[in-house]
Amino acid sequence: MYEGKPSKLFARYAVPQMVGLLFNSVYLIVDGVFIGNRLSRAAMAAAAVSVPFIEILIALAMAVASGAGILISSRLGNRDSTGARQAFKLAIRVLAILGAGIVVLGNLFISPLARLLGATPQIQDEAVTYLWYIVTFSPFQLFSFLLGGLVRNDGRPKLAMFALAFGSVSNIVLDWAFMYPMNMGIAGAALATALGPIFSVLILLPHFLLKKGELYFTKDKVRPGEARRVFALGFPAFIMEFTIGIITFLYNFAIVRNGYGELGLAAYLIIGYLMLILLTVFLGLAEGLQPVFSYLAGAGQELRGRALRRFSTGTLLGIGVLAYGLILLGAKGFITMFAPGDAELVAFTHGRTLVYFSGFFLAGFNILMISYWQSVQQARSALPVSLLRSVVLPPVLLLALPPFFGPEAIWLCHSLSEVLTAGAALLLLRGPGRLPRRVTD
């Protein structure tokens, strides 16, 4: 299952996960295209408010999936199928509890939640409408990512890719149906986004119910302290996934605070879609490699894990450089898709886009190193890098740079945080204890 050269393992595990996640990102982008063309700039700003919340949901699901997946793959590497199934069972139970809590609390406090996420009085009602659908259907969003991650750890990465892709395509079809023939407005866009993950869940469930692999439902008791281990191992993945939501949340406030208003929010929604594509490529490739890194560490094959890491580093850096070249050449056309009749918004967004992504070629390296260290249970390296690029450097830079360099400096902060984080990751990589230890349970 994990035999072959680094290039073969990369193609088998990293690429399908990247493709699946990319489809998932595409449906959020198509949402924006439909809203921008069918509705208004204010509606785009209202949809932007929900993006951090959606990213929080994905981060929670991927944290549990990653934490449980590390235990599952390392135990399969140690030939402990029973222990792997116990971790699987716990992951399902934990996410079911989280999903129920989100639905109840989210609906009770939905108006304050919209304001917390950055809704202004002018877009509050539309933001609440969009957010209600996302909150109410959130368990399906959670389980689509959890089951996809667990299927991948069970040796079927292509099934995970197909499930995510099918859910995304269905969302695009529903977007058109709800917003054009049925004329449901922003509620239609939100409902389409909420329903898409249901199809993914329906595709993934039979793998476990029909016992297609090592993971299926049993009556075995979960090991004591297992939940704590899952969260501890999955926390760097939570931060890594949550970075998109955190950055969007911080920028929404920085944009309003620095006087850009609805124009800035709408522009950042478009920039955020482009950011989502790039980070999804990097996240998908890195997360797709997690089962391989964990299995090789569990089987004591550290040298093969390091070889795969080196190959993946070069590949992700190359993708990052190519991506920025494409942004330089085609950003204006991408932006125009969202606001074909709004020349002011297109011009404003284009100028900030080139600055915003100037250091993004290093984001892939940072994400890969977090995923690698997490997969081999080196949290002391994974966690600080995760925190630096999410909750430490971006808010500090967003607060510190504008007073000295003016409000335009906010558009550089994300790239600068990736550059500084890459420097820290290199220091950790070259430091003592860089060889992964063998994973045992």
Side-chain angles (χ1 to χ4, degrees):
M1 186 164 60
Y2 296 105
E3 299 300 323
K5 296 180 179 179
S7 57
K8 181 179 178 180
L9 292 171
F10 189 91
R12 182 177 179 184
Y13 285 90
V15 174
Q17 174 66 359
M18 181 269 291
V19 172
L21 286 182
L22 197 55
F23 268 101
N24 186 74
S25 298
V26 165
Y27 84 66
L28 290 175
I29 294 168
V30 171
D31 248 11
V33 173
F34 277 114
I35 292 170
N37 284 268
R38 181 67 168 169
L39 302 177
S40 64
R41 183 192 295 178
M44 290 180 68
V49 169
S50 291
V51 172
F53 184 78
I54 294 172
E55 294 302 332
I56 291 171
L57 294 178
I58 296 172
L60 285 171
M62 295 307 295
V64 176
S66 183
I70 291 167
L71 291 179
I72 288 167
S73 290
S74 62
R75 287 172 181 174
L76 291 176
N78 285 325
R79 306 293 187 265
D80 180 12
S81 296
T82 300
R85 284 190 285 273
Q86 289 172 340
F88 160 74
K89 181 179 179 180
L90 176 70
I92 298 294
R93 184 183 299 172
V94 166
L95 213 64
I97 295 170
L98 283 174
I102 289 169
V103 171
V104 173
L105 294 176
N107 276 291
L108 283 175
F109 301 102
I110 194 161
S111 291
L113 178 61
R115 289 193 293 271
L116 177 66
L117 292 171
T120 61
Q122 293 79 13
I123 62 172
Q124 173 74 8
D125 290 342
E126 288 184 298
V128 167
T129 298
Y130 196 97
L131 193 58
W132 182 86
Y133 287 96
I134 305 303
V135 168
T136 303
F137 289 85
S138 59
F140 294 103
Q141 183 78 265
L142 291 171
F143 273 97
S144 68
F145 281 93
L146 175 66
L147 296 180
L150 296 177
V151 160
R152 192 172 67 251
N153 277 276
D154 207 12
R156 299 189 68 187
K158 290 182 180 179
L159 177 62
M161 175 190 73
F162 175 75
L164 285 175
F166 190 90
S168 302
V169 172
S170 68
N171 174 75
I172 293 170
V173 174
L174 292 173
D175 253 328
W176 174 83
F178 291 157
M179 296 186 68
Y180 281 86
M182 299 179 69
N183 198 28
M184 292 175 63
I186 196 167
L191 181 59
T193 300
L195 292 178
I198 295 176
F199 296 100
S200 299
V201 171
L202 292 175
I203 291 170
L204 292 165
L205 266 179
H207 172 83
F208 306 105
L209 296 176
L210 300 177
K211 301 183 179 180
K212 297 281 189 177
E214 296 287 345
L215 303 181
Y216 48 84
F217 296 96
T218 68
K219 294 182 180 179
D220 297 327
K221 292 183 178 180
V222 176
R223 297 178 185 180
E226 197 87 320
R228 186 170 62 253
R229 288 201 69 191
V230 166
F231 280 113
L233 291 171
F235 188 65
F238 172 81
I239 296 297
M240 185 166 62
E241 291 283 348
F242 191 31
T243 295
I244 302 175
I246 293 173
I247 295 295
T248 305
F249 177 80
L250 293 171
Y251 262 92
N252 282 349
F253 274 93
I255 285 166
V256 174
R257 185 171 179 266
N258 284 277
Y260 290 108
E262 288 184 18
L263 176 65
L265 286 173
Y268 191 66
L269 178 64
I270 300 172
I271 291 174
Y273 286 140
L274 191 53
M275 174 182 70
L276 186 62
I277 293 174
L278 294 181
L279 290 184
T280 295
V281 170
F282 295 143
L283 285 166
L285 292 172
E287 288 170 358
L289 294 170
Q290 174 266 306
V292 189
F293 286 137
S294 297
Y295 183 92
L296 295 178
Q301 300 180 35
E302 291 92 349
L303 292 179
R304 290 188 63 209
R306 291 179 65 195
L308 177 60
R309 187 197 72 203
R310 288 194 296 269
F311 174 85
S312 303
T313 297
T315 302
L316 266 69
L317 284 173
I319 291 172
V321 172
L322 175 63
Y324 190 63
L326 293 174
I327 288 172
L328 290 175
L329 294 173
K332 192 166 187 178
F334 179 86
I335 295 164
T336 304
M337 289 193 306
F338 297 88
D342 195 334
E344 180 189 17
L345 178 58
V346 170
F348 180 90
T349 307
H350 182 251
R352 278 74 185 174
T353 298
L354 302 183
V355 176
Y356 188 90
F357 291 102
S358 57
F360 246 62
F361 68 97
L362 289 171
F365 168 72
N366 294 333
I367 290 169
L368 176 66
M369 292 311 305
I370 295 167
S371 182
Y372 171 75
W373 281 321
Q374 177 194 14
S375 300
V376 298
Q377 302 191 36
Q378 289 189 351
R380 290 182 181 179
S381 297
L383 188 55
V385 175
S386 295
L387 293 173
L388 274 176
R389 64 182 295 269
S390 56
V391 298
V392 176
L393 289 173
V396 168
L397 293 173
L398 284 169
L399 286 173
L401 294 189
F404 294 98
F405 302 102
E408 286 294 316
I410 67 172
W411 306 103
L412 181 63
C413 291
H414 194 174
S415 273
L416 185 56
S417 71
E418 295 288 2
V419 172
L420 295 174
T421 300
L426 282 173
L427 290 176
L428 288 169
L429 188 62
R430 295 174 181 274
R434 61 184 181 275
L435 281 173
R437 64 176 177 82
R438 180 170 180 169
V439 180
T440 56
D441 285 302

